[in-house]
Amino acid sequence: MNDVTYVEAARAFAERALHEGGKSIGFAFRAATARKATPAEHKLLSASLEHYRSRYAAAPDEALALLSEGESKRDESLDVTDAALTAVASLILNMDEVATEE
């Protein structure tokens, strides 16, 4: 799900989560799944968030490239390292329980 439309949707979702729920993954997970993450899910997503935060702090050009995907403008009031939540939002949005029509 690396198509530009999906990346842009993940960015918009992450921006919403940052504005409404802060920098943790709890709000994003609940908004997408209508439930709290299990301890195992929370641990995995939190580890992913920290991985991406470190990656984008070391390579802000990569973060900016991710945030520049799509036609809509990124929220420039957010730090580029917040691209980490875009990456995690993509993981959440691609979960079977979120992406299936069943």
Side-chain angles (χ1 to χ4, degrees), residues 9 15 27-28 31 42 79:
E15 288 174 354
F27 175 87
H42 191 271
D79 189 278

Side-chain angles (χ1 to χ4, degrees), residues 13 17 21-32 35-38 41-50 53 84-85 88-89 92:
F13 183 53
K23 294 191 179 211
S24 73
I25 54 102
F27 175 87
F29 192 90
R30 279 190 312 275
R35 66 176 178 84
K36 287 186 175 183
T38 66
E41 290 167 332
H42 191 271
K43 183 178 178 181
L44 177 69
L45 292 171
S46 293
S48 295
L49 184 60
E50 288 308 311
R53 279 185 180 148
L85 193 56
V88 174
I92 293 169

Side-chain angles (χ1 to χ4, degrees), residues 7 11 15 51-70 74-75 78-87:
V7 174
R11 177 174 43 88
E15 288 174 354
H51 164 78
Y52 285 112
R53 279 185 180 148
S54 295
R55 176 180 172 175
Y56 293 137
D61 55 320
E62 283 184 39
L64 189 57
L66 177 66
L67 295 174
S68 298
E69 290 281 331
R74 73 177 182 91
D75 182 343
L78 299 173
D79 189 278
V80 293
T81 58
D82 287 328
L85 193 56
T86 295

